[in-house]
Amino acid sequence: KNEVEQSPQNLTAQEGEFITINCSYSVGISALHWLQQHPGGGIVSLFMLSSGKKKHGRLIATINIQEKHSSLHITASHPRDSAVYICAVEGRTGGYNKLIFGAGTRLAVHP
Amino acid sequence: SAVISQKPSRDICQRGTSLTIQCQVDSQVTMMFWYRQQPGQSLTLIATANQGSEATYESGFVIDKFPISRPNLTFSTLTVSNMSPEDSSIYLCSVGLSDRPTEAFFGQGTRLTVV
C-alpha cells in the first residue's frame, strides 16, 4: 500500500462545477503539500498545510490530522484548472522537505 | 519565495551517452533535491544535494549513475550517466528555503527521452 493515496485518479468536470480531490496518508507528517503539474511537467506549489484550512482564490485545502486526510476543493472550475493535482507529505522523520508524493489526480475541465 | 531555472527543458539523447541538468535558484537555499518522474508514475526522490559535500542518495539510486554537484547555495547539477531508454523521465529540481517545513519550489522540469 502506498504511503500517500489520492482519489480519484482521473476526474472530468464541466466548467463551473465544484471539484474535490482527496488525499489519505499513512505516515506521521510535519506538513502536507498540494501541487499542480502542467502538461509540460513543471510543478507549482498550491498549498502547504499542517492543520486546518487554507484558501487561495477559488482553491481551498483542508487537512484532518487525526484522520490523516486532506482535501483540495476547486470552486467554479474553469478549463484552465485542467492539470494534474498532486498531494505530497513531508515526513516527521528523514528530514524536512523530503516529500512523499501521491500518484496525482488528472483533472480535465470542459467548457 | 524562490525562482528556479532548470535547463534544459527537454532533450532527446542516444543510449550510452550522459546528460547534465542544471538547476539555478535566484536566492540562497538550504535544501535542494532532485526528483524523477517516470511515465505515468509519481515523483520519486533521487537524492538530496548537499552544499560542499557528497549528495545523499535514496534507496535504488547510486552516485555512479546519477552524479550530483552542488558547489554553492544557489546551484546544482544532476547528471544522468550511460543512459538507457528506462531513464526516459521528467527530472525535477526542488528547493526548500529552510530545514523546517516550508513551501516547496520546483523547477519546470527536464523531459528526457532516450532513444
Side-chain angles (χ1 to χ4, degrees):
Chain A
K1 188 179 188 301
N2 294 332
E3 293 170 300
V4 181
E5 296 274 1
Q6 280 186 244
S7 63
Q9 272 188 302
N10 294 284
L11 185 55
T12 301
Q14 290 298 122
E15 184 172 357
E17 285 185 2
F18 180 85
I19 289 164
T20 296
I21 300 170
N22 295 300
C23 175
S24 297
Y25 53 92
S26 58
V27 296
I29 68 168
S30 54
L32 181 143
H33 299 253
W34 280 104
L35 310 165
Q36 182 189 54
Q37 185 173 32
H38 288 282
I43 292 177
V44 174
S45 174
L46 299 175
F47 294 104
M48 188 193 79
L49 294 163
S50 54
S51 65
K53 175 180 172 178
K54 286 189 176 180
K55 184 176 189 294
H56 185 255
R58 295 180 294 107
L59 301 179
I60 303 166
T62 64
I63 188 168
N64 185 318
I65 297 294
Q66 286 73 29
E67 294 186 4
K68 295 188 174 179
H69 181 269
S70 177
S71 294
L72 176 68
H73 306 285
I74 305 175
T75 61
S77 60
H78 190 276
R80 66 174 174 266
D81 297 325
S82 299
V84 175
Y85 291 84
I86 302 171
C87 170
V89 300
E90 195 166 341
R92 282 204 294 261
T93 60
Y96 294 113
N97 300 154
K98 289 174 66 172
L99 301 177
I100 305 170
F101 293 84
T105 295
R106 186 174 298 276
L107 171 65
V109 182
H110 298 295
Chain B
S1 65
V3 177
I4 301 172
S5 173
Q6 188 175 335
K7 297 178 182 179
S9 59
R10 59 176 61 231
D11 208 341
I12 300 173
C13 300
Q14 296 290 323
R15 69 178 67 201
T17 63
S18 298
L19 176 72
T20 295
I21 303 167
Q22 298 182 358
C23 179
Q24 178 74 56
V25 191
D26 69 343
S27 58
Q28 292 187 344
V29 295
T30 306
M31 313 296 288
M32 293 185 79
F33 304 92
W34 288 98
Y35 291 91
R36 180 177 74 179
Q37 186 178 35
Q38 294 178 299
Q41 304 294 315
S42 59
L43 285 90
T44 302
L45 180 64
I46 297 172
T48 303
N50 301 308
Q51 194 265 326
S53 64
E54 196 169 282
T56 304
Y57 289 83
E58 298 299 304
S59 176
F61 297 97
V62 295
I63 187 171
D64 290 345
K65 177 66 176 176
F66 298 102
I68 288 170
S69 78
R70 188 176 175 192
N72 55 52
L73 292 175
T74 64
F75 185 78
S76 178
T77 66
L78 168 75
T79 299
V80 186
S81 303
N82 188 25
M83 289 184 284
S84 67
E86 292 70 36
D87 294 319
S88 298
S89 298
I90 296 173
Y91 292 86
L92 285 132
C93 168
S94 173
V95 305
L97 298 186
S98 75
D99 59 355
R100 300 190 62 77
T102 183
E103 185 178 354
F105 299 91
F106 290 85
Q108 289 301 301
T110 297
R111 186 178 293 272
L112 171 63
T113 302
V114 183
V115 297

